[in-house]
Amino acid sequence: NAGVTQTPKFRILKIGQSMTLQCTQDMNHNYMYWYRQDPGMGLKLIYYSVGAGITDKGEVPNGYNVSRSTTEDFPLRLELAAPSQTSVYFCASSLSSIHEQFFGPGTRLTVL
Amino acid sequence: GQQLNQSPQSMFIQEGEDVSMNCTSSSIFNTWLWYKQDPGEGPVLLIALYKAGELTSNGRLTAQFGITRKDSFLNISASIPSDVGIYFCAGQLIQGAQKLVFGQGTRLTINP
């Protein structure tokens, strides 16, 4: 099993550009999550999903969108990139709400 | 939103020393988790605590869930070079999905 994979590893965007951060898990987990980690800070939840077709907002959802058309994939979309979205983005998955979350390696995004 | 206060922010110790870090919150959590993050990687779960007062060990790591459910500590005994990294506490409220609130992290540096 590859676990949780994220692409790309690094990306530089110009203000106003859009992009999709990809996340895939091969553990057949129902729950998936997107976090952002700003320098010197803990992770903050952007969006989460409890199963295919179901998504919900986390603590910091503004400026982002998600979809969950399959169990394996949970892409995060930035429509109009802003400098405040410069961060490291982590995707995670868990079998259920009481099971351990497994994290991907992260995507480092810079918006200039 | 809910916040966790984690301290210290950083620690510089000698190899072989013991380490102690803690998290406090103004909110009550049902679960406390401790993660370690290596450079360029996502967080990895070290210890999970599910009951107030619970004391759990994982090798040289020991963590406790405070009886007020508003705090937790992590101890590392006889530190070794591979303990270097950032340690995060996280609290979870059981509300259908595993929404975690993270502390700011403790950066551990070990001098050989």
Side-chain angles (χ1 to χ4, degrees), chain B residues 26-91:
Chain B
S26 57
S27 303
I28 290 174
F29 289 104
N30 294 320
T31 301
W32 281 91
L33 305 161
W34 285 93
Y35 287 85
K36 179 175 183 254
Q37 184 178 27
D38 292 325
E41 302 287 334
V44 174
L45 183 66
L46 298 173
I47 291 181
L49 302 157
Y50 300 104
K51 289 197 293 190
E54 179 181 355
L55 184 71
T56 296
S57 293
N58 178 8
R60 293 178 297 105
L61 278 61
T62 302
Q64 183 157 31
F65 190 148
I67 56 174
T68 65
R69 296 201 285 158
K70 293 183 177 181
D71 63 305
S72 177
F73 72 75
L74 174 71
N75 288 340
I76 305 173
S77 63
S79 59
I80 60 177
S82 61
D83 291 334
V84 165
I86 303 176
Y87 292 79
F88 290 98
C89 62

Side-chain angles (χ1 to χ4, degrees), chain A residues 31-73:
Chain A
Y31 290 66
M32 295 187 75
Y33 315 82
W34 273 106
Y35 295 89
R36 60 176 287 171
Q37 184 179 30
D38 298 326
M41 303 295 290
L43 282 70
K44 296 198 173 186
L45 184 64
I46 305 171
Y47 270 96
Y48 66 97
S49 168
V50 301
I54 306 170
T55 63
D56 207 347
K57 295 178 181 179
E59 184 182 356
V60 290
N62 291 344
Y64 307 94
N65 279 300
V66 293
S67 59
R68 184 95 182 270
S69 56
T70 66
T71 299
E72 295 78 18
D73 301 305

Side-chain angles (χ1 to χ4, degrees), chain A residues 9 11-12 14 16 20 23 26 43 46-48 55 59 61 66 68 70 73 77-78 80-81 83 88 92-93 97 108:
Chain A
K9 288 190 185 300
R11 184 71 185 270
I12 298 175
K14 294 182 180 179
T20 299
C23 176
D26 62 358
L43 282 70
I46 305 171
Y47 270 96
Y48 66 97
T55 63
E59 184 182 356
V66 293
R68 184 95 182 270
T70 66
D73 301 305
R77 179 96 179 146
L78 284 72
L80 289 170
V88 181
S93 73
S97 63
R108 184 177 295 273

